[in-house]
Amino acid sequence: MTTEVKSKRTALVRSSELQSTVLTGAGFEGVRQTRLIDATHGSVHQEVVIMELAPGGVIPGHFHPFEESFFMLEGEALYAVGGESYRITKGGYGFAPIAAPHAWRNTSDRPARWIEVRAPQPKTVADARGTYAYPELSAPQGGREVTLEDPTLRHVGLHEPDQMPPYGPIAMRGMVYYCVKHISARLLVQDALGAVQHLTFLAQLPPTPADKRDAVDVMQANPVNKTHYHQYEEVYHFLQGRGLAHLDQESFEVGPGDTILAGVGGSHAVVNIGDEPLLWLETMTPRPPEQNSMFWEKDWAALTALPVTEGS
């Protein structure tokens, strides 16, 4: 018997390839969805989509057997979860725990667009693909403002551009690495909001010096200096700037609206090759372990390999 091994564990989805579809169902009004990453791209742990809610649109009360988080890209909408209702504006983010009823309504005069992460990946069970009606929860008619100073907020938060930390070594869950020396990262969906299945955060790289922007010099000449892999999935959705993504021995230029999947064991790296900061929203699922959550190919390549063959 021959076992086929799939060596490519990464994927790139261009913004130009995306197509939105209308979501219909009891109580749904003015809802469109655009799939970014799902099982068709090789993901096994998550689903990442862009949701659009038209003025006057409604997503009725419902719940899921997966965590669901969001980051508002454009516009504003009202969001109900955990017995509270909030007005979510651009930069707002939030989270619905597993089996927690939630609902949306757009009372503004322009569409609201947000990126949404679902983990574990939705599964079809008895003709339902992970969405179950909760008619006891009505779509909100109003909501409290989400501010940085409110210590009573639950399941939601707000990001403003000036909140990105200074550039420096990465220091997040299970990650304190000299290999990433100049990055800014801000956690969004995490323990504080109640997430246990996944993390989301914003990451930003500064512009690369002009004399190092050539793709060959930056990445392709020696990609092993930048690439790494790990035991969880990551998705990067680019929001600003111009970057070079190295995925399983191939390099691609990326920009706003592009999305990449780094699957379990998939080699990947991203560098900034533009004139402005490179900013993306990143997901991790399952959540990284507290130790040894990332493996740098450069470090392991420097070790003396012990050739081992398997006989009959």
Side-chain angles (χ1 to χ4, degrees):
M1 181 178 67
T2 300
T3 302
E4 182 179 351
V5 178
K6 184 179 179 182
S7 59
K8 189 171 179 61
R9 303 178 184 182
T10 56
L12 166 65
V13 179
R14 294 290 189 192
S15 59
S16 58
E17 301 170 358
L18 301 176
Q19 293 185 333
S20 66
T21 58
V22 176
L23 292 188
T24 60
F28 281 75
E29 300 176 24
V31 185
R32 300 189 70 91
Q33 175 179 268
T34 303
R35 292 188 177 277
L36 298 179
I37 295 293
D38 59 17
T40 64
H41 303 99
S43 172
V44 296
H45 292 298
Q46 63 187 311
E47 184 174 271
V48 183
V49 303
I50 288 180
M51 300 294 295
E52 181 171 325
L53 192 59
V58 171
I59 300 177
H62 64 287
F63 60 97
H64 312 287
F66 49 81
E67 292 182 347
E68 187 174 79
S69 64
F70 65 86
F71 180 79
M72 187 65 73
L73 300 172
E74 299 176 16
E76 64 177 67
L78 303 175
Y79 176 63
V81 67
E84 295 275 4
S85 295
Y86 307 94
R87 188 172 74 91
I88 307 297
T89 57
K90 182 177 180 179
Y93 60 91
F95 168 74
I98 290 174
H102 52 287
W104 291 87
R105 185 189 299 272
N106 186 351
T107 58
S108 75
D109 59 0
R110 55 182 179 145
R113 293 179 67 250
W114 63 88
I115 188 167
E116 191 168 280
V117 183
R118 301 158 183 168
Q121 192 175 90
K123 175 184 172 69
T124 299
V125 178
D127 297 327
R129 195 170 182 277
T131 299
Y132 299 86
Y134 194 83
E136 294 88 346
L137 176 63
S138 299
Q141 298 286 351
R144 43 192 293 210
E145 298 293 319
V146 177
T147 67
L148 303 176
E149 296 80 15
D150 187 349
T152 68
L153 292 178
R154 297 173 55 218
H155 305 316
V156 298
L158 177 65
H159 169 75
E160 295 179 349
D162 62 2
Q163 292 178 313
M164 293 300 291
Y167 295 116
I170 192 168
M172 293 177 60
R173 179 185 173 89
M175 305 172 201
V176 182
Y177 294 112
Y178 72 90
C179 300
V180 183
K181 298 180 180 179
H182 211 46
I183 191 171
S184 175
R186 183 181 181 225
L187 277 168
L188 302 177
V189 174
Q190 54 168 313
D191 310 62
L193 294 190
V196 297
Q197 301 287 336
H198 76 296
L199 297 174
T200 71
F201 59 95
L202 288 168
Q204 183 170 280
L205 293 174
T208 301
D211 61 346
K212 295 183 179 180
R213 287 184 192 151
D214 183 272
V216 173
D217 291 339
V218 173
M219 181 76 76
Q220 292 176 328
N222 193 6
V224 77
N225 285 328
K226 302 287 184 180
T227 54
H228 61 283
Y229 62 95
H230 33 64
Q231 63 275 63
Y232 48 89
E233 284 186 358
E234 285 183 331
V235 169
Y236 297 53
H237 181 70
F238 294 93
L239 301 172
Q240 172 190 297
R242 177 171 162 256
L244 189 71
H246 186 77
L247 307 174
D248 283 330
Q249 310 309 313
E250 296 183 85
S251 294
F252 308 89
E253 188 170 322
V254 292
D258 292 334
T259 308
I260 61 176
L261 166 70
V264 174
S267 297
H268 60 287
V270 174
V271 295
N272 188 347
I273 58 172
D275 298 319
E276 62 178 329
L278 179 65
L279 177 69
W280 67 89
L281 181 76
E282 185 167 338
T283 74
M284 294 178 172
T285 182
R287 287 169 48 119
E290 296 291 349
Q291 297 181 14
N292 299 315
S293 65
M294 196 177 295
F295 300 91
W296 293 88
E297 295 185 10
K298 173 177 66 68
D299 296 338
W300 289 93
L303 302 177
T304 301
L306 177 63
V308 177
T309 59
E310 191 171 323
S312 57

